[in-house]
Amino acid sequence: MWQAFRNGSVYDLRSGDATVDDPHGGHPWGPERSVRARIVAWLLLDGPPALSGRVSSLKLQGVQITDVLDLAGGTVVPYLELKHCRFEKEVLLPEAHFTTVRLVDCSVPRLEAARVHTEGDLHLPRCRFHNGIRLTDAHIGTDLLLNQAVVFRDRHSKSVMADGLSVGQDLQAEMMETHGEVSLRGATVGVSLSLRGSHLSNTYGRRALNAPQMTVERTLYLTPAGLGNPIQSSGATPARGTRVQRFECVGGVRLDDGRFGDAVDLESARFTLENDQEVSLRRIQTPELRFLGEKPQCGRIVLSGAKIVNLVDKAAGWPGPGQLRMGGFTYENLIPFGPFPLTRRLEWLAAATPEYNPEPYERLATVLRNSGEDADAREVLLAKQRRRRDTLPAAAKVWGYLQDWTVAYGYRPGRAAVWMAVLWAVGAFAFGHASHPPMKPGEGPHWDSALFALDLLLPVIDLGQSSAWQLQGGWQWAAAILVMLGWILATTVAAGATRLLRRS
């Protein structure tokens, strides 16, 4: 191993038998494959110089490292790469400085690396961590890789504790499996964060992914990965016949106050929640939210205060009444994936407002109007008035039903014209059979039942007929009813026109 370190070559102790060499298997490794952690630390921190023309590095394969590997606070210059290795006890790297660290397909009891600093990558693919990972306030210069890693919980039910983590480029944790909370509070990722095909599970607490105030400069992927050789996780459509593994989360998700430069992608994501758990996206900001996952059967989806430019969604992805919260949720464009009729969109709003709230309706109407769908926007505002009517006292409800039945609160002005025409025709026919002595004999216009009925129907406008002729008996009641109906129609149409002008 000494010579391999000075030469920069691989020190390989594998037997060639895949079963025996499996670092996660139960086959014991004897002392012939063991190296003391103290020797490894000595080589890394104060090892011999490299041979002439070579670069020193520690590359081990199939080695069992006994005791605790403690590099806390040290500065490690040589390149470190351990493959298919077993660690007898935990690995301590807090506040250590490295160039690049690669642990590939290793069995590690626990990785303690708070405030670790790497100039290059930290690679931990296919490793198994039996008591969790701690990367609190760590700084990774380029990429952090956790692809296909399996991480079990520590005594605090945390599997990955990485609050304040900073990654210069990508954080890839694709096909990862965790059993405990993944905590990324306040983490910063310079490019993208990918959890494609991962399975996060925390049956010991409320959340499986806890990442409020996280910043991702590009995209957060909670999407499927294609299982092939190699694994396809670029986001492209998998080849025909490729088995796809979706992102699954058993437990709550918290992304509150997150900032995502390009998108949050939830395509085909599956969330298994308890009744008191949430997928919380409160106050997130991103140009695009792709809400294309499976509808959760329990729990809640919370988008309160989120600011989105493009909302890409599908009708089947949203939960039912009581499971959706959208107070203060703003979006500028709706991009439905598949059929999403207006009736389903109104059900979406009703599910988000178990108690009447006008803001979601007004937001949807504004978005529809800005996209040129004025008729749909009016239908949304009509639905808002109907929801509001349910909160009013009995007398106001009666008035509301009357407005709805006649002219649909002014959002269907064509109805008013039809009612006016019907009432005018009925009035003209009826008053044609009425006795009508003049108010002042010899004065006034010539009697015309059609103009008389129109004069009664049109408020404010005076055609000179209603003031020139006097009806008697029951005809006076008929005239009063016609005047009242005319005022109702005119008032409702004027209110609707005022709302339209105010929105314009």
Side-chain angles (χ1 to χ4, degrees):
M1 187 172 68
W2 178 287
Q3 286 301 111
F5 175 83
R6 298 188 65 196
N7 195 39
S9 57
V10 176
Y11 183 63
D12 191 348
L13 295 182
R14 290 178 297 173
S15 66
D17 186 328
T19 302
V20 174
D21 291 335
D22 182 5
H24 315 295
H27 198 284
W29 290 0
E32 72 281 0
R33 295 184 61 168
S34 298
V35 174
R36 284 176 293 172
R38 184 170 60 85
I39 302 301
V40 173
W42 178 56
L43 284 173
L44 291 172
L45 295 173
D46 193 23
L51 296 176
S52 178
R54 309 294 294 181
V55 176
S56 60
S57 60
L58 185 61
K59 300 176 182 178
L60 305 181
Q61 292 194 24
V63 174
Q64 178 170 271
I65 299 174
T66 60
D67 298 324
V68 176
L69 178 58
D70 188 353
L71 297 170
T75 298
V76 178
V77 175
Y79 173 79
L80 174 60
E81 179 179 276
L82 307 179
K83 292 184 177 181
H84 317 295
C85 292
R86 284 181 185 172
F87 289 82
E88 184 182 69
K89 296 184 179 179
E90 61 186 359
V91 178
L92 303 180
L93 308 179
E95 300 189 29
H97 285 67
F98 295 88
T99 50
T100 292
V101 179
R102 301 191 73 222
L103 271 63
V104 179
D105 196 19
C106 293
S107 177
V108 186
R110 178 172 175 81
L111 176 61
E112 279 282 355
R115 298 174 298 282
V116 71
H117 187 288
T118 70
E119 299 296 332
D121 299 339
L122 174 58
H123 289 190
L124 306 169
R126 300 191 300 282
C127 289
R128 288 198 177 195
F129 300 92
H130 301 280
N131 291 289
I133 300 173
R134 185 179 184 89
L135 288 168
T136 306
D137 297 317
H139 176 84
I140 310 303
T142 50
D143 296 334
L144 171 58
L145 267 60
L146 286 161
N147 296 341
Q148 296 178 273
V150 179
V151 189
F152 296 92
R153 66 186 179 112
D154 61 14
R155 64 179 182 275
H156 302 295
S157 296
K158 309 286 187 182
S159 58
V160 179
M161 189 68 177
D163 298 343
L165 171 70
S166 173
V167 179
Q169 296 184 15
D170 290 312
L171 197 170
Q172 293 188 14
E174 299 172 353
M175 308 289 292
M176 181 175 69
E177 179 183 332
T178 62
H179 301 270
E181 181 180 295
V182 176
S183 184
L184 292 165
R185 294 183 298 176
T188 301
V189 180
V191 184
S192 293
L193 168 54
S194 177
L195 287 162
R196 292 185 178 101
S198 292
H199 184 188
L200 312 184
S201 176
N202 183 15
T203 57
Y204 314 98
R206 292 192 61 190
R207 300 184 183 96
L209 176 59
N210 186 24
Q213 299 178 332
M214 180 168 61
T215 300
V216 178
E217 294 298 330
R218 297 192 65 180
T219 302
L220 168 62
Y221 294 100
L222 306 181
T223 56
L227 298 181
N229 190 15
I231 290 174
Q232 183 172 355
S233 57
S234 64
T237 302
R240 186 178 181 87
T242 302
R243 188 164 68 90
V244 173
Q245 178 170 306
R246 72 178 71 210
F247 170 83
E248 294 190 38
C249 186
V250 180
V253 174
R254 185 185 180 203
L255 298 174
D256 299 351
D257 301 294
R259 301 293 182 267
F260 306 92
D262 284 353
V264 175
D265 194 345
L266 306 179
E267 181 184 354
S268 300
R270 176 184 291 166
F271 299 99
T272 303
L273 307 172
E274 299 294 335
N275 288 328
D276 62 341
Q277 294 176 336
E278 299 176 339
V279 176
S280 179
L281 305 175
R282 291 177 174 88
R283 299 176 299 279
I284 70 165
Q285 295 185 23
T286 181
E288 186 163 288
L289 172 60
R290 301 170 191 152
F291 198 89
L292 301 172
E294 278 192 8
K295 176 174 68 176
Q297 300 303 311
C298 299
R300 290 181 299 276
I301 303 295
V302 184
L303 287 161
S304 302
K307 294 183 179 180
I308 310 296
V309 178
N310 298 324
L311 175 59
V312 184
D313 63 348
K314 61 180 182 180
W318 293 105
Q323 293 182 262
L324 183 59
R325 297 288 185 272
M326 296 196 308
F329 174 41
T330 61
Y331 51 95
E332 298 180 17
N333 302 298
L334 284 172
I335 307 174
F337 188 81
F340 207 142
L342 184 61
T343 53
R344 294 294 301 275
R345 190 64 77 179
L346 291 175
E347 291 174 3
W348 174 64
L349 286 186
T353 53
E355 297 182 357
Y356 170 67
N357 182 1
E359 192 274 333
Y361 288 89
E362 292 167 0
R363 166 59 51 183
L364 177 57
T366 299
V367 171
L368 291 173
R369 192 181 303 110
N370 291 342
S371 62
E373 301 176 45
D374 290 339
D376 285 350
R378 289 194 294 272
E379 288 296 319
V380 172
L381 294 173
L382 175 57
K384 182 192 80 168
Q385 291 295 335
R386 289 170 174 167
R387 284 291 304 278
R388 177 178 176 271
R389 182 177 64 206
D390 295 338
T391 67
L392 299 176
K397 280 185 180 179
V398 172
W399 174 244
Y401 278 113
L402 185 59
Q403 291 186 86
D404 193 358
W405 185 58
T406 52
V407 291
Y409 289 95
Y411 293 111
R412 294 175 185 169
R415 281 191 186 181
V418 173
W419 279 107
M420 281 285 191
V422 170
L423 292 173
W424 185 20
V426 171
F429 176 79
F431 292 134
H433 298 83
S435 176
H436 53 278
M439 289 285 191
K440 297 179 180 179
E443 298 182 14
H446 177 73
W447 167 258
D448 188 314
S449 62
L451 287 177
F452 184 81
L454 187 61
D455 199 4
L456 294 175
L457 272 174
L458 296 176
V460 180
I461 300 175
D462 186 5
L463 300 179
Q465 286 284 333
S466 61
S467 60
W469 307 98
Q470 181 178 4
L471 301 180
Q472 297 177 347
W475 293 108
Q476 290 180 327
W477 283 101
I481 291 173
L482 201 62
V483 169
M484 182 180 67
L485 292 174
W487 272 102
I488 290 173
L489 289 172
T491 302
T492 306
V493 170
T498 301
R499 285 192 292 265
L500 290 173
L501 290 172
R502 187 183 299 120
R503 288 192 301 272
S504 300

